[in-house]
Amino acid sequence: MGLPIIGETLQFFVPYTSTDISPFIKKRIQRYGPVFRTSIVGHPIIVSTDPELNSLVFKQGADSWFKPWYTDSFSEIIGSESLMFHEGFLHKYVRGLVREGFGPDSLKSLLVDLEGRTKSHLGSWSVLPSVDLKEVVSAMLHGFAVEKLYSFSDPEMIRGHKQSYDAFLRGLISFPLNIPGTAYWKCLQVWLHKDLMEEIDSGESPLTEKMATDLLFLLPFAAFESTSSTIVSAFHYLTAHPAALAELTREHEAILKRREESGSVGISWREYKSMTFTHMVTNETLRLTNIVPGIFRKVMKDVEVKGYLIPAGWTVMVYPTAAHLNPSVYDDPLSFNPWRWEGQKVNSGSENFMAFGGGTRFCSGAEFVKLCMAIFFHHLVTKYRYVQFD
């Protein structure tokens, strides 16, 4: 369990550069097995890389033994009344709102605007000697999200809003020192001073004004941060694997040729759904990138699994990377191989693929990530040839 109070927090947060399982996790799996205990940021935690326990953790309902949990610092920034902490009716209500904005039906109507924005930005980047891909893709998607959600149109306002999110992100992953000048302190200032909407008519919505404001603040962040990271990672893997890039290019050139022959303009929803290899690339990128490093659940009552007792009040951390790099499921798991997804479902989660979470809290924005990936690479590989990733 490590040292008193701080436990093994310092060892847990030591950075590493490979896509493999964290050295902290790997060392303890080898010593204790797929489920082990530790202490991180002052909390006793069970780390699970076991599929059976993971399935139990993601099971939701009135009889669920596990409830969503976040660290104290994260909870302080987000707020204890945040919708991320709610379950039952409110959780279902919010998921419905998110699906209205980012679900398949809504994305069909947003496709044209998103494609136009992508083409415009790719064109402007192509005349520059170089760009920071993560920064420009993130800015592009952030601008799209806030324009749709808030009706922002002033470039200065959008840039200022993006700077606030940058401070917010740095604070989320910083050590929680609430001292003026630290990243954590700046993050709290952004959160405490957010003001994005008018008062809600309580008679028409179950949400309080604070809940709605929290939701409006978090949605753009969820939309652009994970999506831009996925696009940049895919770019990296494709430039390092010419065969995969060639196959992706063939798929999109064939779509472009058929469109030209029919006289249609722009990507249709049917074309997007037909991009089989592109979806395989997206899944493989998400499997290796592991944007969500851990999924936390609080144990509500004593749970016995495989002869082990997990005490009430403890926290279970499901570690998706172990599932994504399991050699008994994925042959040569550290290799980028989109073909491994051939013939498999690429639009849902499972105990072996948790890139978007699991259970009833499976991310409602998963389709948005896939659509952005498809549009970006469709125009990149059919119009721009000489690109280099550094």
Side-chain angles (χ1 to χ4, degrees):
M1 298 292 285
L3 299 172
I5 302 177
I6 65 171
E8 296 187 300
T9 303
L10 299 180
Q11 298 97 310
F12 179 79
F13 283 108
V14 170
Y16 64 102
T17 56
S18 76
T19 58
D20 201 353
I21 294 173
S22 151
F24 174 89
I25 302 289
K26 180 179 287 188
K27 179 180 178 181
R28 283 153 184 79
I29 290 175
Q30 292 170 346
R31 185 171 182 179
Y32 304 114
V35 181
F36 62 88
R37 66 181 185 178
T38 183
S39 175
I40 301 172
V41 293
H43 294 276
I45 289 178
I46 300 293
V47 178
S48 173
T49 64
D50 181 78
E52 183 179 332
L53 177 54
N54 293 348
S55 296
L56 186 64
V57 168
F58 287 135
K59 178 186 177 184
Q60 295 296 313
D63 61 341
S64 175
W65 297 332
F66 302 92
K67 304 296 181 185
W69 180 86
Y70 304 91
T71 63
D72 293 342
S73 58
F74 188 88
S75 300
E76 184 177 356
I77 291 172
I78 299 299
S80 60
E81 293 300 311
S82 171
L83 291 163
M84 296 181 70
F85 296 92
H86 286 283
E87 297 184 88
F89 168 74
L90 272 178
H91 178 244
K92 291 180 180 178
Y93 177 80
V94 172
R95 282 184 65 87
L97 290 178
V98 174
R99 285 189 65 82
E100 285 183 18
F102 293 97
D105 290 340
S106 297
L107 292 179
K108 289 177 184 179
S109 63
L110 296 176
L111 194 158
V112 173
D113 192 6
L114 185 57
E115 182 182 15
R117 185 180 299 266
T118 302
K119 290 168 62 177
S120 174
H121 279 75
L122 279 169
S124 65
W125 304 337
S126 69
V127 298
L128 300 175
S130 65
V131 294
D132 182 325
L133 190 61
K134 176 64 169 66
E135 179 58 34
V136 295
V137 173
S138 180
M140 176 186 73
L141 295 174
H142 166 266
F144 176 80
V146 298
E147 283 184 28
K148 294 301 177 184
L149 286 169
Y150 311 149
S151 298
F152 281 1
S153 58
D154 179 52
E156 286 300 319
M157 183 180 291
I158 294 174
R159 274 193 291 270
H161 195 264
K162 177 64 164 57
Q163 289 172 358
S164 295
Y165 273 115
D166 291 341
F168 176 67
L169 177 61
R170 286 192 295 270
L172 279 180
I173 60 175
S174 66
F175 197 80
L177 287 176
N178 192 10
I179 300 174
T182 64
Y184 183 72
W185 179 85
K186 291 178 181 178
C187 181
L188 281 176
Q189 307 316 300
V190 172
W191 187 256
L192 292 173
H193 291 94
K194 66 187 186 303
D195 183 15
L196 304 174
M197 63 172 296
E198 298 176 356
E199 184 175 356
I200 284 188
D201 181 352
S202 60
E204 298 180 2
S205 171
L207 307 183
T208 65
E209 182 176 353
K210 185 179 185 306
M211 288 178 179
T213 307
D214 289 354
L215 177 63
L216 284 174
F217 186 83
L218 287 171
L219 278 179
F221 174 74
F224 76 81
E225 184 57 35
S226 59
T227 307
S228 59
S229 296
T230 305
I231 287 175
V232 172
S233 297
F235 193 107
H236 166 72
Y237 287 125
L238 288 166
T239 54
H241 295 82
L245 179 58
E247 181 63 27
L248 185 76
T249 302
R250 279 193 292 271
E251 177 172 84
H252 287 279
E253 286 183 338
I255 291 172
L256 187 63
K257 183 177 181 180
R258 288 194 296 270
R259 188 188 310 143
E260 291 173 344
E261 291 174 349
S262 66
S264 58
V265 179
I267 299 173
S268 67
W269 187 257
R270 184 175 181 179
E271 286 175 338
Y272 159 66
K273 299 301 287 186
S274 74
M275 297 175 182
T276 305
F277 190 75
T278 304
H279 300 322
M280 290 159 59
V281 167
T282 301
N283 268 27
E284 184 69 349
T285 300
L286 290 167
R287 184 187 69 84
L288 285 171
T289 305
N290 291 295
I291 294 173
V292 180
I295 302 169
F296 295 89
R297 295 289 187 268
K298 176 72 76 174
V299 184
M300 305 310 294
K301 61 181 180 180
D302 291 355
V303 178
E304 189 169 337
V305 181
K306 294 185 174 180
Y308 292 94
L309 179 69
I310 303 178
W314 280 46
T315 299
V316 174
M317 183 185 87
V318 174
Y319 185 65
T321 304
H324 295 168
L325 301 181
N326 185 345
S328 64
V329 177
Y330 300 104
D331 183 47
D332 193 10
L334 291 177
S335 296
F336 178 76
N337 177 18
W339 288 273
R340 73 171 79 245
W341 294 95
E342 205 160 15
Q344 298 187 42
K345 291 183 178 180
V346 293
N347 295 313
S348 61
S350 68
E351 65 180 25
N352 297 315
F353 185 63
M354 297 176 280
F356 295 106
T360 60
R361 289 184 174 262
F362 183 80
C363 179
S364 300
E367 194 75 50
F368 179 75
V369 176
K370 294 176 181 290
L371 179 63
C372 291
M373 279 277 293
I375 292 174
F376 181 87
F377 282 103
H378 175 78
H379 290 283
L380 181 70
V381 301
T382 57
K383 296 183 180 179
Y384 303 98
R385 298 294 186 186
Y386 303 101
V387 291
Q388 181 178 354
F389 188 89
D390 184 0

